[in-house]
Amino acid sequence: MGAVREAVGRGFGRWRAAALPIVQCGLSAGIAWLVATMVIGHPHPFFAPIAAVVCLGVSLGQRLRRVGELVVGVSVGVGVGDALISWIGSGPWQIALVVALAMSAAVLLDGGSVIALQAGSSAVLVATLLPPSAGGGFDRMIDALTGGLVGLAVAALIPANPVTVAQRQLKTLTATLSGALKNIAAALEEKDAVKAAGVLAELRTSQTTIDDYKSALQTGSEIAKIAPIRWRSKDELKRYQTAAGPVDYAIRNTRVLARRTMAALKADEKIPDGVPEVLVEYAKAVECLKGELEKGKEPKQTREAVRDAARNLTARRLGGDGFSSKVVLAQIRSVAVDLLQATGLSRSEAMEALPPLSPPADAGARAEESAPARDHEGRSGRTNRP
């Protein structure tokens, strides 16, 4: 019974998160049908509610583009279907040919997946349920446009909170980053290479979390543009957008850090005692960043926390006795720069905010310090920063 209650709770949580999009889709479909039948006068405007639902979608995002894709997709599918079915008739091979040609034409016009799928489904409907004699392709195109516009109107009048959408995904992202930093610190304290390997494996699956956060920001930006009551959210949303890239880089650099920590522990290289404490402080700074963004504050406390942690690292005059240990220390420095950039500083400002690891006269060492990390984990160039 406990497992059942847990499953029901998870399901209810998913439904609650999607409740508003579901309501938007339901209202849009009904209103689109009503407008198409009562205002435009189409007796069976099935494309209108379909277009409204597809335009909104439970996952949200890119609605303005979807309206155009729907209209183009319906136009291509209906056009190809009307042109060919009246000539070659209807049947299995005719349907296959019409769908293939309609989708090919859509792909040639635009790479959008909605266009291709809508063109194929429209061609199927023309070839089976609604042959050319049952209605004009122009009416169906109007129905699709009507549904798309109704969907946009409903989304503008009953919008989600774009900041809440961003907060939900950032919470997951920061939990991943802070948890990884704490676990790497624990692996160093316990000299446990297996635990470090576990952190590395977990971080290698974090790309979905990063993509979800960026998608949430895109959705939030769109809501703030089309919904008048959410226009005031633009400034607050900018802080989340500012943090997006640097937090992404921080996770990637932490992944390199986990890899080199594992290698250093396996090689029994000496890593200074102060490193785990610094990583724990970085983890607390990540949590502080989340809290300040949620409160709509400029993340000044996060900056100070990162600076203090980096200052402690420098005060210990750390060094390494092997390649992996040196990379570990360099990556810790890189993560600090990423976190400072997440608070709104530029890269040069973030570098200047950190105390130097070596005397100022040693320009060569500082140049080496500022170079982006390169490691097997970053071969795709994702640890590099512009």
Side-chain angles (χ1 to χ4, degrees), residues 221-239:
S221 297
E222 187 180 77
I223 292 173
K225 287 179 182 177
I226 68 175
I229 65 174
R230 298 300 185 189
W231 285 345
R232 294 182 179 180
S233 302
K234 292 180 180 178
D235 291 339
E236 189 173 353
L237 200 60
K238 284 180 181 178
R239 292 193 179 97

Side-chain angles (χ1 to χ4, degrees), residues 264 267-271 319-329:
D268 200 25
E269 295 181 9
K270 178 175 175 53
I271 295 180
D321 65 350
F323 174 75
S324 292
S325 61
K326 290 185 187 327
V327 175
V328 165
L329 299 176

Side-chain angles (χ1 to χ4, degrees), residues 335-360:
V335 172
V337 174
D338 295 331
L339 294 180
L340 288 174
Q341 287 184 268
T343 67
L345 298 182
S346 66
R347 178 163 176 77
S348 60
E349 290 172 337
M351 294 296 302
E352 292 174 0
L354 295 175
L357 289 175
S358 55

Side-chain angles (χ1 to χ4, degrees), residues 50-51 53-57 59 61-77 102-103 106-107 110-122:
I50 290 175
V53 173
V54 175
C55 172
L56 288 171
S59 62
Q62 296 184 334
R63 289 170 176 163
L64 294 174
R65 177 180 174 85
R66 284 188 181 186
V67 173
E69 289 182 341
L70 283 166
V71 175
V72 174
V74 169
S75 301
V76 171
M103 295 186 72
V107 170
D110 191 283
S113 60
V114 174
I115 289 183
L117 293 175
Q118 193 63 45
S121 60
S122 300

Side-chain angles (χ1 to χ4, degrees), residues 48 78 90 121-122 140 165 178 193 213 216 237 248 272-273 304 333 345 348 353 366:
V78 170
S90 182
S121 60
S122 300
R140 295 164 188 165
V165 174
S178 63
Y213 179 52
L237 200 60
D248 182 1
D273 296 335
E304 290 303 317
R333 186 78 166 183
L345 298 182
S348 60
R366 294 203 54 176

Side-chain angles (χ1 to χ4, degrees), residues 203-283:
L203 287 174
R204 281 173 171 169
T205 64
S206 64
Q207 187 60 45
T208 300
T209 304
I210 296 170
D211 293 341
D212 288 345
Y213 179 52
K214 292 182 177 179
S215 177
L217 290 176
Q218 183 181 30
T219 298
S221 297
E222 187 180 77
I223 292 173
K225 287 179 182 177
I226 68 175
I229 65 174
R230 298 300 185 189
W231 285 345
R232 294 182 179 180
S233 302
K234 292 180 180 178
D235 291 339
E236 189 173 353
L237 200 60
K238 284 180 181 178
R239 292 193 179 97
Y240 286 89
Q241 293 168 335
T242 298
V247 171
D248 182 1
Y249 291 132
I251 289 179
R252 298 176 193 275
N253 273 317
T254 303
R255 191 168 64 209
V256 179
L257 173 62
R259 176 181 174 82
R260 284 306 173 184
T261 297
M262 178 185 67
L265 291 173
K266 286 183 176 179
D268 200 25
E269 295 181 9
K270 178 175 175 53
I271 295 180
D273 296 335
V275 171
E277 288 84 351
V278 172
L279 293 177
V280 171
E281 291 303 315
Y282 282 1

